[in-house]
Amino acid sequence: MGGARVPTSTYRLQVTEDLDLFAAARLLPYLHELGVDWVYLSPLLAAEPGSSHGYDVVAHDHVDVSRGGADGLAAVSAEARRLGMGVLVDIVPNHVGVATPAANPWWWEVLQHGRHGARAAAFDIDWNAAGQRLRIPVVGDDDQGLDGGPVGNLDVVEGPDGQRELRYHDHRFPLAPGTADDWGTPGVDAQTVHARQHYELVNWRVADDGLNYRRFFAVNTLAAVRVEEPEVFADTHVEIRRWFEEGLVDGLRVDHPDGLRDPKGYLDDLAALTGGAYVLVEKILEPGERLPASWATAGTTGYDALAHIDRVLTDPAGQAPLDELETRLRGAAVDWHEMVHGTKREVADNLLHSEVRRIVRDLRREDPWLPAFRAEDAIGELMACFGVYRSYLPEGREHLEHAFAEARRRRPDLAGTFDRLEPRLQDGEADGTRRFQQTSGMVMAKGVEDCAFYRWSRLTSLNEVGGDPSVFALPVSGFHDAMTERQQHWPHAMTTLSTHDTKRGEDVRARITALAEVPEVWADALDRLLALAPLPDPGFGSLLWQAVLGAWPADRERLHGYAEKAMREAGDRTTWTAPDADYEAAVHAAVDSAFDDPKVAAVLEELLERVTVPGWSNALGAKLVALTIPGVPDVYQGSELWEQSLVDPDNRRWVDFETRAELLRTGAWEPPTARVDDPGSAKLHVTAAALRLRRERPELFTSYDGVGASGPAADHVLAFDRGGAVTVATRLPVGLAARGGWGDTRLALAPGRWVDTLTGTTHEAGPDGLELAGVLDRLPVALLVPADRDEQEEER
């Protein structure tokens, strides 16, 4: 990143109409007092009316007025400058919102004027695939719209600007010039006018197989834009350019770079526009995968770090008994990789088959004799066999080669087609290859994160974005190796535990992680829960009850919302488009039983008695580790207290900042209690202490070395030295308690006096190290600095 300003930490705020930019500016003094260096804002450009997240941008030339507009951003920037803070903003280069055509001037213009319109080149549309018309999948089954047939409930009406429009229920569409001049004359009705347009309203089911514009994943209302074209890049970044020219913003987070035709080229363009500012990419890395070193970025947004932290705190001894439980619940052993292959193939053949067909159309322009049906089958198989989200040819060629080898093994009947495809898909400049690379990540995301994660319930704290659930645990030595590499190659990448996209909040995962230490207790309790509240799919029941346990206490509405999303995303018993009423009723009845059935409540209470305290220990350990490992730690809004949210939209709920600010102001805190409604003051205290130390004494965080331990409980500590600041975290707290505590376990620290910045206590390390029993007597974590340095700093 050259000489770009780099934050020591960030704090993510979801900017909405309710928490707009002016409200964000008013929060900055609290964030500064917490120790935060930069505020990190969700997307700000003008979005769909009523958007709660901002990822559906409709205009690139101004900040969304409903979220504060230009004046709101100026207020945030001015307050940040007053406090010495920076501003990081999330941007969305891959797609725009098209749910409300009238709200998006570019989309409206394309609908009205077709492929020769001034903005047509901005969108990734295959006009030749549908008779030079853009297919819009909005027609309901009652109104048909299949195979070019008539569409019911169409009308031509006068729009707000006095011009005629085509209406389908609440949907408004423009009319091409001159196509409705004879409206109302004999033989000219809404169907006639519709047939004259540059777009075709089609049944919603056509989207899976017959769409001719690229989307974000399978979201029909998010249309991809072609930022690889210089003019499109310039026009989509006009407001972002202003932010940097006027010094309003210091850095950017790039959403979904894997959807771009040329991520490296885009990041180079962005670096030129921003003057080499601090830039992060929302890139998900599979185990062992490396971010391309050639990219102009400081690194990822931290899902890779999250996966390492969760696994180093997971007891490997729990794997075998939890495997046995999963096998019993599912009726057979579950092979994660086989299941993922199947779910990805389902996605390629159904939800994203429009994209697969377009890849083949691109390839057939170079090889007209390529059999379309067999090529689609082969492309679908390659997508299912792709081990990472995507390649960036020539980088990542090994992943493509592996996919071909695996596809040939699974489908020898397609050997000839693979032979024909391979040289073409090895050509990184070919249109079909570039589109294949853009699409493979979509198949991975929809097949794994949004499906397989809900069909695998062994230990759901591991079913998280950026992680491989089949990787159960990480030894301390492996964690140190990963962090050493991170310090060497990506010292300014983000670290995180919770985001607006995580499937479970950090402290939900921390409590579920404790189940790995008590697998027999969990299995017995689950059997009783399933007997009291029977479910058609006991495997899904395991996933559901883990969510209830991790989020408890949670209100009924939140858990019903989670249950509905989880079972429909799993898609094996019920779906969003074809819900099974009986199955869903049984699942919702189980949720209700947690509140209404005293026997179910009693089982939950027993479980909570076993995992609440270990869960808080895991939570504090994960938090301190995330805040102090190499990288720039992000605190997701509200997660300075217990973060027990579930998948979106639950993780985007209102945050009570007044309570947090008051707790911080008083400085009062207590160690976590055995209560499930513990206020979390210890977590706020740990978060503030770590953030302040990183901001005020960055010289203590310039390297990484694992710190060893000796003694009876050496396996229960994770410790590392960042160049003066030493992090100490308890791991496997149930086993530690069963062992009787730390005993004579010692950390291998240099002789001398060490101050724990969390408690203010001074500890003496002798020739044989530092006794952990005294260091961790109040909290399961410690953040140590040498006393002499601390005293010298106070004198200065």
Side-chain angles (χ1 to χ4, degrees), residues 230-245:
E231 183 177 346
V232 178
F233 176 88
D235 289 346
T236 55
H237 290 70
V238 62
E239 173 68 2
I240 295 168
R241 179 185 293 277
R242 182 184 75 85
W243 298 346
F244 284 90
E245 289 177 345

Side-chain angles (χ1 to χ4, degrees), residues 60-339:
H60 296 90
D61 58 355
H62 64 281
V63 175
D64 193 283
V65 175
S66 71
R67 283 175 279 147
D71 290 344
L73 179 58
V76 169
S77 183
E79 182 66 351
R81 301 294 177 250
R82 184 184 74 81
L83 295 166
M85 299 174 71
V87 179
L88 178 72
V89 179
D90 197 346
I91 62 171
V92 190
N94 179 71
H95 53 267
V96 295
V98 297
T100 313
N104 187 326
W106 290 14
W107 191 248
W108 187 266
E109 197 272 348
V110 171
L111 294 175
Q112 187 168 37
H113 297 286
R115 74 177 304 164
H116 300 297
R119 291 297 182 181
F123 296 95
D124 195 352
I125 301 168
D126 187 356
W127 293 97
N128 295 329
Q132 305 303 310
R133 299 179 77 187
L134 174 59
R135 287 178 172 161
I136 309 297
V138 296
V139 179
D141 288 341
D142 291 342
D143 297 321
Q144 293 305 304
L146 292 168
D147 299 323
V151 175
N153 284 299
L154 280 182
D155 198 3
V156 175
V157 301
E158 185 176 300
D161 59 357
Q163 300 297 311
R164 286 174 174 166
E165 299 176 351
L166 189 67
R167 291 284 177 91
Y168 172 68
H169 295 288
D170 293 334
H171 297 279
R172 297 172 50 207
F173 301 96
L175 297 176
T179 58
D181 290 349
D182 56 353
W183 163 252
T185 61
V188 179
D189 59 10
Q191 300 291 341
T192 309
V193 174
H194 174 228
R196 296 169 176 174
Q197 303 310 310
H198 297 288
Y199 55 86
E200 179 186 9
L201 305 186
V202 296
N203 187 276
W204 65 275
R205 299 179 189 274
V206 172
D208 288 358
D209 200 59
L211 216 59
N212 63 334
Y213 65 92
R214 184 167 62 88
R215 303 164 289 175
F216 169 71
F217 295 170
V219 183
N220 300 334
T221 55
L222 294 176
V225 289
R226 303 174 67 225
V227 292
E228 66 272 13
E229 297 296 329
E231 183 177 346
V232 178
F233 176 88
D235 289 346
T236 55
H237 290 70
V238 62
E239 173 68 2
I240 295 168
R241 179 185 293 277
R242 182 184 75 85
W243 298 346
F244 284 90
E245 289 177 345
E246 298 183 11
L248 297 169
V249 168
D250 302 285
L252 300 172
R253 178 259 199 194
V254 177
D255 181 68
H256 190 48
D258 277 353
L260 304 178
R261 187 174 178 88
D262 178 13
K264 179 184 183 303
Y266 172 78
L267 290 170
D268 288 341
D269 291 343
L270 196 64
L273 181 143
T274 65
Y278 180 74
V279 168
L280 296 166
V281 290
E282 186 217 17
K283 167 62 186 169
I284 295 171
L285 299 169
E286 291 298 297
E289 185 184 6
R290 301 291 183 269
L291 189 68
S294 60
W295 285 11
T297 178
T300 74
T301 51
Y303 289 116
D304 42 339
L306 181 158
H308 288 129
I309 293 168
D310 281 353
R311 281 159 181 77
V312 78
L313 298 178
T314 300
D315 188 354
Q319 180 169 355
L322 290 176
D323 276 340
E324 292 175 6
L325 175 61
E326 182 80 351
T327 297
R328 175 164 63 82
L329 295 172
R330 302 285 180 180
V334 181
D335 184 317
W336 167 256
H337 297 290
E338 283 299 313
M339 179 171 66

Side-chain angles (χ1 to χ4, degrees), residues 457-741:
S457 54
R458 179 178 66 177
L459 187 69
T460 58
S461 54
L462 304 177
N463 297 16
E464 194 49 80
V465 179
D468 181 340
S470 70
V471 179
F472 192 84
L474 179 68
V476 170
S477 60
F479 182 84
H480 289 325
D481 290 343
M483 294 306 107
T484 298
E485 180 177 335
R486 185 179 181 89
Q487 174 66 37
Q488 181 179 355
H489 297 291
W490 301 103
H492 303 310
M494 184 173 278
T495 68
T496 191
L497 287 178
S498 296
T499 75
H500 63 287
D501 278 335
T502 40
K503 304 299 184 184
R504 294 162 188 81
E506 59 200 59
D507 302 326
V508 174
R509 300 198 310 276
R511 186 179 289 172
I512 293 171
T513 294
L515 296 178
E517 291 200 77
V518 289
E520 292 81 8
V521 172
W522 164 239
D524 175 70
L526 180 60
D527 285 343
R528 286 187 285 155
L529 289 169
L530 293 174
L532 291 166
L535 287 167
D537 181 353
F540 181 81
S542 176
L543 181 140
L544 177 66
W545 284 114
Q546 287 179 62
V548 173
L549 180 71
W552 201 264
D555 64 58
R556 192 186 302 253
E557 182 180 0
R558 287 179 58 208
L559 293 180
H560 278 302
Y562 174 79
E564 179 181 80
K565 182 165 185 173
M567 60 181 155
R568 292 183 178 179
E569 294 284 73
D572 51 352
R573 299 296 189 103
T574 187
T575 67
W576 291 105
T577 56
D580 182 318
D582 291 339
Y583 179 82
E584 295 197 358
V587 172
H588 286 300
V591 171
D592 284 330
S593 73
F595 300 90
D596 301 334
D597 188 331
K599 293 180 180 179
V600 170
V603 177
L604 272 178
E605 183 62 31
E606 288 178 31
L607 265 177
L608 288 164
E609 288 175 1
R610 297 296 298 268
V611 299
T612 297
V613 172
W616 296 149
S617 177
N618 288 337
L620 292 180
K623 196 64 174 179
L624 183 61
V625 169
L627 293 172
T628 56
I629 57 174
V632 175
D634 177 59
V635 177
Y636 183 65
Q637 61 176 29
S639 66
E640 61 270 38
L641 292 182
W642 302 130
E643 216 306 297
Q644 292 177 271
S645 62
L646 296 166
V647 71
D648 68 273
D650 192 59
N651 55 19
R652 302 172 189 181
R653 289 174 295 137
W654 174 79
V655 175
D656 183 356
F657 285 106
E658 289 186 8
T659 294
R660 286 161 173 79
E662 180 62 19
L663 274 173
L664 185 67
R665 186 192 65 78
T666 64
W669 66 275
E670 295 291 337
T673 67
R675 293 165 43 200
V676 294
D677 60 348
D678 179 90
S681 62
K683 189 182 183 190
L684 178 70
H685 176 70
V686 167
T687 301
L691 290 176
R692 291 167 180 169
L693 189 67
R694 290 207 67 159
R695 185 180 64 190
E696 296 163 10
R697 302 189 61 182
E699 75 279 3
L700 299 178
F701 297 89
T702 56
S703 60
Y704 185 92
D705 291 288
V707 175
S710 60
D715 289 342
H716 292 275
V717 64
L718 170 66
F720 49 85
D721 184 347
R722 288 299 322 281
V726 175
T727 292
V728 185
T730 299
R731 58 189 298 269
L732 318 185
V734 175
L736 178 65
R739 189 184 289 275

